[in-house]
Amino acid sequence: MYIRRGRVAGTLSLASLAGSLGLSCALHGGAVLAGDYADSPQVDEFIAEMTRDYGFASEQLFGLFREAQRKQPILDAVSRPAERAKPWKEYRPIFITEARVARGLDFWREHEEALARAEREYGVPAQVIVAIIGVETFYGRNTGNYRVIDALSTLGFDYPPRAPFFRKELREFLLMTREEQVDPLTLTGSYAGAMGLPQFMPSSFRAYAVDFDSDGHIDIWKNPTDAIGSVASYFRHHGWVAGAPVASRADIAGTEAEKGLSAGLDPAMSVGELRSLGWRSRDSLDDGLPVTAFRLEGADGDEYWMGLPNFYTITRYNRSVMYAMAVYQLSDLLLQTRSGRR
């Protein structure tokens, strides 16, 4: 699957819908059958917004939503009670495996030139880009099989708790497919509408995806070069500092140390402030550096860490300390193994 680069104004291209709607007509004797969203007042309101505010042709959007399907498995997945939050000692083995390292090294070798160029142009190390793609989709093995239009319609119109967010992403998706002149019925992704090797939501695609091989197309589904460049672009736009470390293990002492733990992901204290509370980094860090301080339940007991600004950038990709730590440690293992230091 690819997307042709080149943003255009105007209505949703007739060509982009002709194939899918034409097929439906052929299958049903020339009449397009009503789908799950054909007579929805919510969809009518959404189409009116897209027509009024973004210049889409209403008849084409009505045709598109005749084809969109409500997917109960998506609602089941998003509504399922959350499992017990895994501690780090259980979360880490899911992503830090010999198989993921070995496949990551293969991916690095296969796309060495693109990764090296991304590092030069964006300042993001190759191992970090590889680790993101490895954690997100196991290097493209698990990118999702739902049509994006179905996922975003289901969650935007039938999941009230987060409907505004997913309707925004549905709007971004339609704008994306119009700008890139691609059939919106053909693109696939996760049950939440995340797409391709890096699992970009449509808003992230529009903002950060790049045609990294300059072939006139953006393809984050089947073209690892574009996926690599797009991840690097995302990181640079979210504050990645070239050459800077990501995280530092710390030791604590005294009765005040627990007060240094951050309440959220944003850097809440400086290295110096943590030092005054009994934190000691195992690395040499400037006292003025802002950090996120956190504790993880490791296999050998509690671990205390300082997440540096680049660690915070990783959490902008996925708002989770353990996710960012998995990416960081996988990237470090990839680099050590490739360098022969492991």
Side-chain angles (χ1 to χ4, degrees), residues 86-96 320 322-323 326:
K86 289 180 171 63
W88 176 240
K89 63 184 179 183
E90 295 177 19
Y91 184 94
R92 185 182 188 276
I94 297 172
F95 298 102
I96 312 298
S320 162
M322 287 195 290
Y323 172 90

Side-chain angles (χ1 to χ4, degrees), residues 232-250:
S233 168
Y234 185 100
F235 269 54
R236 186 177 71 177
H237 280 89
H238 286 84
W240 184 269
V241 180
V246 175
S248 178
R249 186 77 180 267

Side-chain angles (χ1 to χ4, degrees), residues 18-35 38 62-63 66-67:
S20 55
L21 297 183
L23 175 60
S24 177
C25 289
L27 290 174
H28 303 296
V32 179
L33 298 186
F62 278 117
R66 288 190 189 100
E67 296 291 314

Side-chain angles (χ1 to χ4, degrees), residues 35-43 46 65 68-79 149-167 170 191:
D36 296 319
Y37 295 107
D39 299 310
S40 164
Q42 294 184 88
V43 173
F46 179 79
F65 284 108
Q69 298 175 6
R70 179 183 185 275
K71 295 292 185 181
Q72 186 61 41
I74 290 176
L75 295 172
D76 293 341
V78 78
S79 303
I149 188 68
D150 295 336
L152 296 178
S153 295
T154 297
L155 294 171
F157 301 124
D158 286 301
Y159 185 61
R162 296 201 68 195
F165 170 79
F166 286 107
R167 286 196 204 182
L170 179 58
Y191 77 85

